[in-house]
Amino acid sequence: MPQLQPSGKRRAANASRWRQRLCSLLAGGPVSLTIPIALAALAVLLPTFYSGAYWIRELSLIAVLALVVSGVNLSFGYAGELQLGQVFMFAVGAYLTMILAIHGTTDVVLLMLIGGVAAVAVGILIAVPAMRIGGWSLAMASFFLVITIPDLASVFSKQTGGLNGLTGVPIPTLFGSQLGNTGLYEVAVIVTILWFACYRNLVTSRFGVVFRVLRESPVLTQSLGYSPSKLKTSVYALGAFPAGVAGCLFGYVSLIVEPTTFGLTLGIGIVAASVLGGTESVYGVLIGAALLQLGPEKSISFATYAPIAYGGFLIVAATLLRGGVARLGRAAASRALRWLQPDAVVAESTDSGAHIEGEPYVLDGATGGNAGGNGSSPERATLPQVQGKRVSVEGVSKSFGGVAALQDVSLTAKPGEVTGLIGSNGSGKTTLLNVICGYASASGGSVKIDDTTISRLRPAQIARLGVGRTFQTPTMPRGVSARDVVASGRYSGDHIGFVASILRLPRYRRAQRADRREATELLQLAGIERFADQDASSLSLGTRRLVEVARTLCARPSVVLLDEAASGLNDEEVIGLATLVQAMADAGATVIVIEHNFKFITSVSQTIHVLHLGQLIASGTPDEVSRDRQVIESYLGKASGTARDRKAVAGAGAGAGAGAGPVPAAAAAALLELHGIESGYGDLRVLRGVSMSIPTGSIEAILGRNGVGKTTLLSTIAGLLPAWNGSVTLLGRPVGGSSAYRRSAAGISLVQEGKRIFRRRTVWQNVMLGTHSLKISRPERQRLCREVLDLFPALRPRTAERAGGLSGGQQQMLAIAQALASRPKILLLDEPSAGLAPTIVDELFARLRTLADDGLTILLVEQLADKALAIADHVTVLDRGQVVTSGTAESFEDVTKLEAAYGLL
Amino acid sequence: MAVTLWSGLVLGSVYALVAAGFAIAMVPTGIFNFAQGAIVIGGSFLTYQFLAATKIPTALAVVLTVLVGMGAGLACELLAVRPLRWGRGTVESSAMVTTVGASTALIGLLAIKWGELPLQVPFIGPGGYLHFLGVVGQPVQITVVVLAVVSALALEAFFRYTRTGRVCLAVAEDRDAAMLRGVNVSALSLAAFALAGAFGAAAGVVIGPITYAEPVLGTTLALYGFVAVALGGEGSFIGGLIGGLIVGLVGSLAIRYLGASYGDIAVLGLLLVTLAVRPKGLGGSTKARSV
């Protein structure tokens, strides 16, 4: 029996290795190169066993079109710009080379080069202004360029033959000897194969990743150390080259160059072919080009219906298919993979892959995933040492318009330490971060990295000084694996150019190996190595954050800035993040962390600085800062004055002729009921089950730190955000299924934070707009508006003024007036006191109290607890998307209860 | 010279009408519907069909044409724009691709039904010639100029002075805020596209006799109309009128003094100069946004 077992196992092992090889074939690893090589050989050798002139010609033309379409793949698929300039460059190539041929220069290789270079020159000429305009204007200008082709041909009709076309194309020569049709075919096929090899090498190299980043976010491109405008110019130039080459071949194959060939139909057809094949697929181009050439030839009806087909493709592609036919093929392939190897961790394989040649793409079926699935218990791993740089912020001020976001802020972050930066909304944390990274320039003061002042430098230059940062929303380009995303962090430090990438020089291979090695190490450190080969944009938010942090680290930065990296992470992921942060500091880097999550930032930082309304109000160790009264008050407001304020407001309310104080909660019926509300943005869960019941005619205050879900709650009630779970009921009727405008008509009126009125309309028009959902006559509407405006004496004399010209306080009142004009049943207010002077806030809140006493229900979200407590009947405190505590306003007169609820203790 | 100016004015009014159609859809939705040009020339084709081919009473022909135009506008919204709101990515940039696709498909349909050659479209009004200011003008030309001016003024007034118009402007300024105030932005989007389609087809009824009905004009009109919008400022009707007139004059003068092939080239030059110098155009726009 012992003999049988090993051989049985060996047979099983053999079988599984075949399955593995088949898998890697389908998954698109280097093994799959055999298929295109076989196809290429077939194409080159075709004339040896088939000599029909028709098909030789057709295949030549398909090769020509494939060259043109591949250029569009670059500019549309990777740079994201729709432009038909490709046809223009095709025409330039064709005309220029054929004119030269007629005048004696007939060598096909020379002419192809000339055509290519001429097209590149035109491409760069177009690219320079195109960069400034982008979008629609670029597309339209390129369309225009195409329709001027016949006109330009007429203008230069002596050389071009005008509208009749350029005839008399001579026989092509190759190094002196003439080429027949077969010879020309071979040249076309070989050139196409060469171009596609280069193209494939380029887009599976780092540049594939960089182009995808470019399409997704110019900001991210800069932070990786690349200039978006230079990259875009390169893309246009690269895309133009094959068009010029194709022009030469086209001229020789068709023997006539007519302006009508290069029309809008061809232009749109090329884009449609690119879209059909899949703008990111190397091989889909051939499918698209074949259809474009053969379709009209094979059937007259295709030619007639072609425009409808092209138009339909564009619509369908932009709405549904992101990757065209090739993507469908890949989706089918991954399904086949799953059937073949159910245990394997099948990554959604991406065409870019950026696979390293020579290293087999192994799907480790036996162990069910890559080693490193034990990432949940991170050891105290170490990063290679870096030379940290000191960040000195000296007296930095920054204003936007008249608003001072930062006022004379000075702080230092030392190498080898973690420095924390906290502050409530509007404190200026992110502005400071942007100033340090170069995305905003300081109005006063300076920032130094070691001894270099960075005020004149651009973000890409600062990145190259060794400053790395993460963004609040991790931007992952689509179609790039997590490993490649992490590796992209080291691109600018270890720069490899186009030529080295295309030719796969040793320098390139060394860099690729280093990329893979370092990326894998960092993923292991973060505990997410099992996701290494998956499409990064499909990962959960927490994992994406960790991938982003890993990417920042891959550049071995001397300074690391983390912008709210812990937000949205679950407990396990927070631990992974803390490990990374600690490892960074241990390695010697200067780490600056901006956070809302108190526990996290106090656990990792050595020093914490607190900002409030643009000023630095406290600095010290986590212990010192958490006990600092000023810090607590910046979050809570002066809660100590609560009792006094309540009496003052009640007095003011009585003075204005209001009713007899707040309605006892027990007597009033529930106006709004929430049960188990869960919602969020994308895959970020913000609310984790919130329930409350709000009686009619009361003021409910919703308090909590920033980032806990207060705004999300109001948006969900108002219908701007769909609730994932739970119900919203107004007066007994569920409104969960209604869209926002219906809920407004039903009586839920939301005033968003930020004074969102219509600035170009007058005050009167704004209030009139508020009455939109009421079906009343015009005189009644006007009377209602006047009534509402009477509540706000500051607005009454300004009805004809443009809303944009009002002061902040007046704009806020206008926003509330607008909401009141719809005669709501419940008014939702999101931080109405933000940015207003205290006396104005008092006046405003007194008005709200009066309205509540008259029967209006108000849901008031505030960060500054003191003013809200003064007028509220009932209080609910949120933390991390859940209700932490609630009770009557009186029960919160003890300040410590509130501080505990805010998580400050 | 007078003749050149007159023809420039007439063609300029044609472009202004196309630009107005663009603006009607763009103001409440922010979407530039490239297919508007195809709808305009489609209106011309329908006029040809109803008046020259299968002769039916004029009033009925116009009504039918406008109704079909409305339908085409609705189809654009439902097929090329609405589905984009369900996906990710900005709607405006994807709408570029889909409306170009819609335009291509529509023009393909027109070519299938009526062929590629230009067709002469009868005018619903009187024929003949009028002599004034050293110019020989036709009633249809005068109609187009008057229509362009009147519609620009009327539309500007509608959007600025009526309640519905102001609601549209508010939606253009801040879509979410408008939704919260009870505006059914979804229905508004449909209505805007329907109105733009109806207007475009109606414009086609009088434009057809001047330009002849030819499928390729669907794209040409859209492109020239775009230049008019770029000049006049996105969302401004008066701007679109002035922009259109400038485009018409530039083209006309170029053809007269430089040669027949220089019309397109001159207008392309005008577009590039405008984009370089004043990306926002001449007139005020309801929403300052780079196109």
Side-chain angles (χ1 to χ4, degrees), chain B residues 102-148:
Chain B
S103 172
T104 313
L106 267 173
I107 292 177
L109 278 170
L110 294 175
I112 290 175
K113 172 77 179 137
W114 285 287
E116 296 273 2
L117 297 173
L119 298 171
Q120 187 165 27
V121 181
F123 180 46
I124 56 175
Y129 294 91
L130 293 165
H131 297 264
F132 58 93
L133 297 175
V135 164
V136 178
Q138 297 169 298
V140 63
Q141 295 175 326
I142 300 173
T143 312
V144 160
V145 175
V146 168
L147 190 62

Side-chain angles (χ1 to χ4, degrees), chain A residues 470-492:
Chain A
T470 62
F471 295 86
Q472 282 189 20
T473 322
T475 316
M476 302 279 134
R478 285 192 309 273
V480 182
S481 69
R483 197 198 309 272
D484 287 329
V485 169
V486 174
S488 67
R490 40 181 326 271
Y491 289 176
S492 67

Side-chain angles (χ1 to χ4, degrees), chain A residues 130-163:
Chain A
M131 220 78 66
R132 277 197 61 189
I133 55 183
W136 261 114
S137 306
L138 173 61
M140 294 295 108
S142 69
F143 271 63
F144 237 106
L145 207 58
V146 172
I147 67 173
T148 59
I149 291 177
D151 297 315
L152 287 169
S154 298
V155 167
F156 297 106
S157 57
K158 205 152 43 92
Q159 292 89 347
T160 65
L163 293 173

Side-chain angles (χ1 to χ4, degrees), chain B:
Chain B
M1 178 60 155
V3 172
T4 315
L5 287 178
W6 175 240
S7 77
L9 216 58
V10 170
L11 280 177
S13 307
V14 169
Y15 306 139
L17 284 171
V18 177
F22 280 138
I24 295 175
M26 187 149 59
V27 168
T29 65
I31 308 283
F32 185 85
N33 182 10
F34 192 72
Q36 183 73 11
I39 295 179
V40 169
I41 207 67
S44 305
F45 272 109
L46 282 170
T47 311
Y48 164 85
Q49 184 66 26
F50 292 140
L51 294 184
T54 60
K55 299 184 172 52
I56 63 174
T58 311
L60 184 61
V62 173
V63 166
L64 281 176
T65 306
V66 167
L67 282 176
V68 173
M70 196 185 308
L74 278 172
C76 284
E77 209 277 350
L78 289 169
L79 295 175
V81 176
R82 187 156 292 243
L84 296 175
R85 297 207 191 273
W86 305 329
R88 55 177 167 176
T90 56
V91 179
E92 281 81 14
S93 56
S94 303
M96 202 174 10
V97 179
T98 55
T99 58
V100 166
S103 172
T104 313
L106 267 173
I107 292 177
L109 278 170
L110 294 175
I112 290 175
K113 172 77 179 137
W114 285 287
E116 296 273 2
L117 297 173
L119 298 171
Q120 187 165 27
V121 181
F123 180 46
I124 56 175
Y129 294 91
L130 293 165
H131 297 264
F132 58 93
L133 297 175
V135 164
V136 178
Q138 297 169 298
V140 63
Q141 295 175 326
I142 300 173
T143 312
V144 160
V145 175
V146 168
L147 190 62
V149 175
V150 166
S151 52
L153 292 171
L155 285 166
E156 189 85 43
F158 172 76
F159 277 96
R160 229 188 270 179
Y161 301 123
T162 65
R163 195 163 75 84
T164 321
R166 288 202 212 111
V167 169
C168 291
L169 292 178
V171 172
E173 217 184 302
D174 191 335
R175 201 165 190 273
D176 272 357
M179 263 202 284
L180 289 175
R181 301 279 73 82
V183 178
N184 187 348
V185 291
S186 161
L188 196 66
S189 180
L190 279 171
F193 270 73
L195 182 62
F199 180 83
V205 172
V206 292
I207 289 176
I210 297 176
T211 62
Y212 286 55
E214 210 183 331
V216 72
L217 280 181
T219 316
T220 319
L221 284 176
L223 285 173
Y224 277 72
F226 174 82
V227 182
V229 169
L231 262 176
E234 187 185 298
S236 161
F237 294 96
I238 307 279
L241 175 66
I242 298 178
L245 293 176
I246 294 179
V247 172
L249 283 169
V250 165
S252 194
L253 288 167
I255 291 178
R256 169 75 179 82
Y257 293 108
L258 294 173
S261 316
Y262 286 86
D264 293 331
I265 298 174
V267 174
L268 174 59
L270 178 63
L271 174 65
L272 293 175
V273 166
T274 310
L275 290 173
V277 169
R278 291 204 58 130
K280 283 206 205 116
L282 302 171
S285 48
T286 51
K287 185 166 184 178
R289 183 180 60 240
S290 60
V291 179

Side-chain angles (χ1 to χ4, degrees), chain A residues 849-860:
Chain A
R849 184 69 252 173
T850 315
L851 287 166
D853 294 340
D854 286 339
L856 177 66
T857 314
I858 297 180
L859 199 57
L860 178 65

